[in-house]
Amino acid sequence: MPRGSFITFEGGDGTGKSTQLALFLEYLQTHEIAHIFTREPGGTGIGERIRQILLDPACAEMEDMTEALLYAAARAQLAREIIRPAMDAGKLVVCDRWVDSSIVYQGLAKDLMHGRGGSEEAVRAVNAYATDGLIPDVTILLDLDPAEALGRARSADGRPDRIEAKGISYHRAVRESYLSLAEREARVRVVDAAGPPEAVHARVIDAVQQAVEITK
Ligand code: TYD
């Protein structure tokens, strides 16, 4: 049986990742393409417990290194328990975020915000170990100007949200980091996330089809 493909979705807050993932999964269902969907941190019993630690306000004092290792630990479990077996069974695997999230959030963007460098290599090394080098066949990067992403989030619920809480310069650093990653890695396809969801969805399908064959 041929090895299944591995597709991941990435993007900053407010870029519409959840909406586009839902539309993509709907597309797979409509076309009867066998797949599994998973998310991180989480996707396994152990991963969900790690997620709770990462999101717990009582853990706000967490060291950067601890955070990076917890994301990698959740990923190690997900790779072995879910993703590898599904791919070995020839299934298409769709994952909400993967190692690129850590390279950006725990590495590049954090370095940009603190005016330092050098975290990327360490984050890469830890994650290569955690995932046994499991790299997606294609990664959809939803790209949107943070000013627009912020407007979207505001119109969604009308109150200041976690995007504003973090500050626009942080979101600019995240965007810049993702784009620099995309420049260096051909598997990362930048998809313009501006415009109506259906238009963005069509761009997502195009980008996926250019990279991998998704059929029944
Ligand atoms: P997520 O649950 O995907 O929510 P959303 O896509 O709606 O933002 O991600 C929550 C946060 O976790 C997000 O701000 C990015 C962060 N994150 C990391 O910092 N590193 C990682 O390795 C992952 C997977 C996520």
Side-chain angles (χ1 to χ4, degrees):
M1 179 171 291
R3 169 190 171 278
S5 300
F6 182 26
I7 302 178
T8 59
F9 279 63
E10 298 279 350
D13 284 309
T15 56
K17 181 166 61 66
S18 305
T19 306
Q20 289 307 321
L21 265 164
L23 289 173
F24 185 63
L25 294 174
E26 207 177 289
Y27 173 93
L28 295 178
Q29 222 149 26
T30 308
H31 291 81
E32 294 177 9
I33 298 163
H35 64 278
I36 65 149
F37 168 65
T38 189
R39 67 161 189 179
E40 66 157 11
T44 64
I46 290 166
E48 291 297 338
R49 292 176 76 166
I50 295 173
R51 185 187 187 97
Q52 282 168 15
I53 300 172
L54 285 162
L55 298 180
D56 189 345
C59 297
E61 301 298 298
M62 190 181 289
E63 292 288 334
D64 287 353
M65 178 69 81
T66 312
E67 183 186 86
L69 290 170
L70 283 175
Y71 277 116
R75 203 165 277 138
Q77 190 68 28
L78 188 58
R80 286 164 181 78
E81 193 179 315
I82 308 280
I83 301 178
R84 282 278 189 205
M87 288 174 73
D88 289 347
K91 284 195 194 131
L92 169 66
V93 177
V94 181
C95 192
D96 184 352
R97 299 191 181 278
W98 190 244
V99 173
D100 300 316
S101 279
S102 275
I103 291 172
V104 166
Y105 289 94
Q106 278 69 55
L108 295 168
K110 214 157 234 178
D111 278 1
L112 274 177
M113 292 302 288
H114 293 101
R116 61 174 194 216
S119 301
E120 181 184 352
E121 283 319 305
V123 174
R124 271 191 194 278
V126 160
N127 278 280
Y129 175 57
T131 66
D132 211 5
L134 179 59
I135 296 169
D137 296 290
V138 61
T139 297
I140 298 300
L141 170 57
L142 293 161
D143 177 60
L144 189 67
D145 184 333
E148 205 170 317
L150 196 127
R152 267 186 190 179
R154 236 195 225 133
S155 58
D157 60 15
R159 62 190 163 85
D161 72 341
R162 63 193 173 118
I163 299 192
E164 284 167 286
K166 285 254 187 186
I168 194 97
S169 57
Y170 171 76
H171 297 288
R172 292 220 165 93
V174 167
R175 184 191 198 196
E176 195 181 310
S177 301
Y178 267 127
L179 290 176
S180 93
L181 196 62
E183 256 172 45
R184 289 178 282 143
E185 306 217 20
R187 89 182 140 80
V188 182
R189 308 286 169 124
V190 182
V191 171
D192 179 7
E198 283 302 336
V200 180
H201 174 60
R203 287 176 214 141
V204 168
I205 298 295
D206 255 13
V208 169
Q209 279 172 341
Q210 276 174 31
V212 294
E213 202 181 331
I214 46 168
T215 46
K216 253 200 231 188

